[in-house]
Amino acid sequence: MTAVPKILIVGGGYAGFYTAWKLEKHLRKGEAEVTIVDPLPYMTYQPFLPEVAAGEIEARHIVVGHRRHFTRTRVVTAKVTNIDHANRTATITPVEGEPWEEQYDQIVVTAGAVSRTFPIPGIADNAIGLKTIEEAVAIRDRLLGNFDKAANLPAGPERDRLLTVVVVGGGFAGIEVFAELRAFASALLKEYPQLRFEDTHFHLIEAMGRIMPEVSLKTSEWVLKSLAKRGAYVHLDTQVTGAVDGNIELSTGETLPSDLIIWTAGVMANPTVVRGGDLPVEERGRIRTRADLRVGTADEVVEGAWAAGDVSAVPDLTGAGVGGYCVPNAQHAVRQAKLLAKNLTAVLRGELPQEYLHHNLGAVAGLGLWNGVFQSGRFALKGWIAWLAHRGYHGLAMPSWERKWRVFGDWWHDFWLGRDNVSLATVQNPRYVFEEFAARPRPAAPVEAPAAEPAAAKTPEKAAATR
């Protein structure tokens, strides 16, 4: 190891952000150099993405800027495209400039997860996920833009297509964005007198025979009834077989014309980082991780390598995890990161790390304004009390008081002023007005070639030269 150990954190999401944040508190000044690398300059608080999509929270308020909140951590906005742990180097590839090799003594892999899709025709070209703030904003703007377009059309197939939303996946993320958008669309109708409630169509597609496996069957059935009362349709035991030309084809033989397809049917460990390295990977494509968050197995440790969050396969010592591992969610990622920072500090000081053991506190979900669900063991809350629990838990879990106050402020303003229902889709092409009216140089006039002299006009001397 070098005189001052170098710690490289790959990924600045939940686990990466909290690891770096806590290392700044645990490490003494000059005890180690910490670098965090991520292609985005911020961490996104993903549980609030459905509320951003539904216009309840300002998009920038659920992201936490790395440079603002780290005081002793070096921030590199780039991708890690290869990890050569045998030589303790990582390849860092920026958007501009040449890649370089970064040396380290300890590496922390917290690259998170991406949407997991299947080779279904049309999904890659027409659907959108819900893992990033950009996707949540795009969903919101698409729905608002479709209302604007539909208001100018007569009743018919094209208007139905614009006002049909299809969500694929009945886990927490899918149910939350589905319910939030249903509530959002209902609230929009008062501003569009040309449209009726019956003109809007919301469909959720779930391949299993139930939704929300994190809660009890009785609670999930209550959610289904609540959604049905609000005019939302849930298709159980159903798969998407195609999504070409705005037509969602289902395994039941049905076809749903839609202009907004949201894919929330699972996640997978970030393949760019997992495949671009020599760290051990288990069968599901995650980095094999011990209970003490060091990379390796119970019998063997990969010295100097750590992992946490969705990119890692951490044993669930409570026995409640699927397949014996911690499920990929924010609750585990944050707590693993906090312990990882303690363990890494302990190892640098010659002490032993502790094993990660966390009993699930329960599951809470928002289902639109004044409606939610909470489950902890056999205890369940439903309706507005669960909705308050959802907002209270996630509001307090938002990193830093600076971010908390911004989110609380959004909710306070919404209570008195309502949602801000303006689409900013044109921000994706901010120069369109300037380009339309900008004066441009006139094209240069073509230069006329000099006229050729008639053959009869040649002088005797020229005529002789041509012979």
Side-chain angles (χ1 to χ4, degrees):
M1 298 178 75
T2 57
V4 178
K6 294 183 178 181
I7 301 172
L8 178 65
I9 301 175
V10 182
Y14 279 121
F17 177 87
Y18 273 95
T19 298
W21 210 24
K22 295 303 178 180
L23 281 174
E24 288 195 350
K25 296 181 179 180
H26 297 319
L27 292 172
R28 294 186 288 266
K29 187 176 181 180
E31 190 173 7
E33 295 178 3
V34 181
T35 298
I36 187 168
V37 183
D38 193 284
L40 297 174
Y42 52 78
M43 181 271 273
T44 302
Y45 192 75
Q46 293 181 356
F48 282 150
L49 289 177
E51 291 194 50
V52 171
E56 294 174 21
I57 301 178
E58 164 61 33
R60 284 189 176 89
H61 294 172
I62 74 160
V63 298
V64 186
H66 293 158
R67 297 182 188 277
R68 174 163 186 169
H69 292 86
F70 295 144
T71 58
R72 292 190 288 133
T73 300
R74 174 187 167 215
V75 177
V76 177
T77 305
K79 288 184 178 181
V80 172
T81 52
N82 183 63
I83 297 173
D84 181 5
H85 190 65
N87 295 304
R88 303 291 176 102
T89 61
T91 303
I92 298 181
T93 305
V95 176
E96 300 287 346
E98 296 297 321
W100 73 88
E101 301 296 319
E102 184 83 11
Q103 293 186 330
Y104 62 82
D105 299 296
Q106 303 280 340
I107 190 168
V108 179
V109 184
T110 54
V114 298
S115 295
R116 182 192 62 183
T117 58
F118 307 101
I120 300 171
I123 287 295
D125 299 320
N126 300 312
I128 187 170
L130 191 65
K131 291 289 293 178
T132 68
I133 189 65
E134 294 83 0
E135 289 173 325
V137 172
I139 290 169
R140 174 181 180 271
D141 287 343
R142 172 66 66 87
L143 184 62
L144 287 167
N146 284 355
F147 263 72
D148 289 333
K149 296 174 185 176
N152 296 325
L153 295 174
E158 182 58 23
R159 191 168 81 171
D160 287 342
R161 186 181 69 85
L162 290 169
L163 297 178
T164 298
V165 175
V166 175
V167 176
V168 185
F172 257 57
I175 290 296
E176 284 193 294
V177 72
F178 184 62
E180 291 286 357
L181 291 179
R182 173 67 273 185
F184 185 28
S186 298
L188 283 175
L189 288 171
K190 67 178 183 295
E191 300 175 8
Y192 293 86
Q194 307 93 328
L195 305 176
R196 300 175 304 162
F197 180 86
E198 294 76 15
D199 296 327
T200 60
H201 314 283
F202 281 75
H203 298 268
L204 184 135
I205 316 301
E206 171 53 49
M208 296 175 59
R210 59 164 297 181
I211 60 171
M212 304 174 76
E214 300 90 343
V215 303
S216 68
L217 181 60
K218 183 178 180 180
T219 301
S220 71
E221 290 174 346
W222 179 88
V223 174
L224 287 174
K225 293 177 182 178
S226 175
L227 292 170
K229 289 178 182 178
R230 288 185 279 165
Y233 301 91
V234 178
H235 305 254
L236 299 177
D237 294 314
T238 306
Q239 296 178 343
V240 175
T241 58
V244 179
D245 297 330
N247 293 309
I248 316 303
E249 299 174 4
L250 307 181
S251 57
T252 58
E254 298 174 81
T255 298
L256 304 173
S258 174
D259 191 59
L260 181 53
I261 311 164
I262 305 169
W263 184 274
T264 64
V267 298
M268 65 179 180
N270 189 323
T272 301
V273 173
V274 171
R275 298 171 187 168
D278 57 357
L279 296 176
V281 179
E282 48 91 64
E283 57 274 8
R284 295 191 63 183
R286 298 172 297 180
I287 294 177
R288 195 175 294 280
T289 310
R290 294 161 46 94
D292 60 11
L293 304 177
R294 289 184 290 182
V295 174
T297 64
D299 302 320
E300 185 177 358
V301 178
V302 179
E303 295 294 341
W306 306 75
D310 295 356
V311 78
S312 64
V314 179
D316 190 339
L317 299 184
T318 68
V322 179
Y325 295 102
C326 296
V327 296
N329 62 24
Q331 193 174 134
H332 280 304
V334 170
R335 286 169 174 78
Q336 288 171 7
K338 292 179 179 179
L339 178 62
L340 195 158
K342 290 182 179 179
N343 282 351
L344 181 48
T345 303
V347 167
L348 291 177
R349 296 172 181 172
E351 302 169 5
L352 293 177
Q354 301 176 10
E355 292 187 331
Y356 176 73
L357 176 63
H358 172 66
H359 293 275
N360 187 12
L361 299 177
V364 61
L367 303 175
L369 285 174
W370 307 108
N371 198 19
V373 62
F374 169 78
Q375 181 90 44
S376 180
R378 296 183 179 180
F379 177 73
L381 291 174
K382 309 176 188 72
W384 67 270
I385 296 179
W387 177 80
L388 288 175
H390 162 76
R391 287 205 161 178
Y393 172 79
H394 286 298
L396 293 175
M398 186 75 189
S400 84
W401 279 103
E402 176 259 336
R403 292 286 111 175
K404 287 180 174 66
W405 283 119
R406 292 182 188 273
V407 171
F408 292 151
D410 288 339
W411 288 337
W412 177 253
H413 294 143
D414 289 344
F415 180 79
W416 295 103
L417 305 175
R419 309 172 198 250
D420 188 356
N421 298 331
V422 177
S423 170
L424 293 178
T426 52
V427 76
Q428 304 303 323
N429 183 22
R431 297 183 65 250
Y432 78 99
V433 174
F434 182 83
E435 289 179 333
E436 181 179 355
F437 297 102
R440 290 177 170 81
R442 292 183 179 180
V447 179
E448 295 183 4
E453 296 182 18
K458 290 183 178 179
T459 62
E461 292 81 4
K462 289 184 178 179
T466 60
R467 288 199 293 267

